Amino acid sequence: MDKINTGLPGGVAISHLSVYDWPAADGACGGTPHMHLACSEAYVVTGGRGAVQTLTASGYKVTPLQAGTVAWFTPGTIHRLVNEGDLRITVLMQNSGLPEAGDAVLTLPPRYLTDPETYARATAIPADAPEEEQERAARARRDLALEGYRSLREAEGPQALAAFHRAAAALVRPRIAEWRERWRQGAEASAAATGAQLDWLEQGQSPHLADASVRSEQPTGHGKFGMCGRLDVYAN
């Protein structure tokens, strides 16, 4: 049979995250609040302590994090990681890592959400710049996102959150075809392969067992400036 999906099970991807310890205006240390539009995400806490602040149509919530905690959330959940002491997390991402490959909109103030070009200028981190310049850019976009996040938390009624949802959806719309292809090659292909395997087993056949394989990988990049912290990333 064809080897349909050679990535991690179910089209999941992982990264290792050391959450930023940069203090913000409210005194909390941590990352950049943002939202995913088409992917769920999970945190497996491997060290330290902290919390994830979340904001949804159901309201504001704080989930404590410590070694051993597993926390996850669905699309539409605005989330902000807070580092209260060496917080380290293995992040599990749906759809072959799409949350770190485009499916994220930071909670910038509305004036930066008007079109993809304006948003990109406000959120870009120059990949070829010295590390100090990259850090300045990452901190600046974090603080800008916290400005918008604070407004969303303080807003009365659902209108502000709904407006952010609409703006975020408009920003990512030009990329949906690209995202759909990633989904087809990852999660959809993995589910289809399982369906085929169940069909064969039901018929008393097992051709896929002859294609058994074992793989392992090391991170392909270390210390990348991510939305929530420094990332060790994988190719999967």
Side-chain angles (χ1 to χ4, degrees):
M1 65 175 287
D2 294 335
K3 288 180 169 49
I4 298 174
N5 178 28
T6 57
L8 288 173
V12 171
I14 65 171
S15 63
H16 296 305
L17 172 66
S18 296
V19 179
Y20 292 132
D21 58 3
W22 307 331
D26 62 358
C29 299
T32 308
H34 62 281
M35 177 185 76
H36 303 297
L37 289 90
C39 298
S40 292
E41 191 171 68
Y43 295 153
V44 181
V45 183
T46 56
R49 57 187 177 85
V52 58
Q53 301 176 353
T54 54
L55 183 63
T56 68
S58 298
Y60 173 71
K61 182 178 179 180
V62 177
T63 301
L65 302 176
Q66 61 183 13
T69 300
V70 178
W72 62 96
F73 40 85
T74 57
T77 304
I78 294 173
H79 48 289
R80 175 200 185 189
L81 277 171
V82 175
N83 186 352
E84 298 172 354
D86 194 28
L87 183 58
R88 288 168 282 116
I89 294 170
T90 295
V91 183
L92 309 180
M93 297 168 288
Q94 203 177 13
N95 298 317
S96 306
L98 183 56
E100 284 176 6
D103 179 21
V105 174
L106 310 188
T107 56
L108 303 187
R111 63 187 181 275
Y112 296 99
L113 305 175
T114 55
D115 61 86
E117 293 74 23
T118 300
Y119 177 83
R121 286 194 298 270
T123 57
I125 295 178
D128 298 328
E131 183 168 313
E132 295 79 6
E133 185 175 339
Q134 292 186 41
E135 179 174 331
R136 283 195 296 272
R139 293 186 71 151
R141 78 174 185 182
R142 190 279 305 266
D143 293 341
L144 193 60
L146 283 171
E147 178 185 335
Y149 173 69
R150 183 169 56 252
S151 296
L152 290 171
R153 278 190 55 188
E154 294 173 351
E156 295 184 6
Q159 292 84 2
L161 186 58
F164 175 72
H165 288 169
R166 289 193 297 270
L171 282 175
V172 304
R173 187 177 180 186
R175 305 190 65 183
I176 298 305
E178 171 192 339
W179 294 6
R180 190 181 298 277
E181 188 59 30
R182 180 184 285 259
W183 164 70
R184 283 175 173 157
Q185 293 182 14
E188 186 186 42
S190 179
T194 299
Q197 292 161 6
L198 292 174
D199 289 343
W200 288 325
L201 291 170
E202 192 172 47
Q203 297 163 15
Q205 304 177 38
S206 56
H208 59 292
L209 300 183
D211 291 325
S213 63
V214 178
R215 295 185 63 194
S216 66
E217 292 183 8
Q218 293 294 319
T220 56
H222 296 272
K224 174 185 174 183
F225 285 98
M227 290 175 287
C228 297
R230 302 295 294 266
L231 292 169
D232 293 345
V233 297
Y234 293 78
N236 54 51

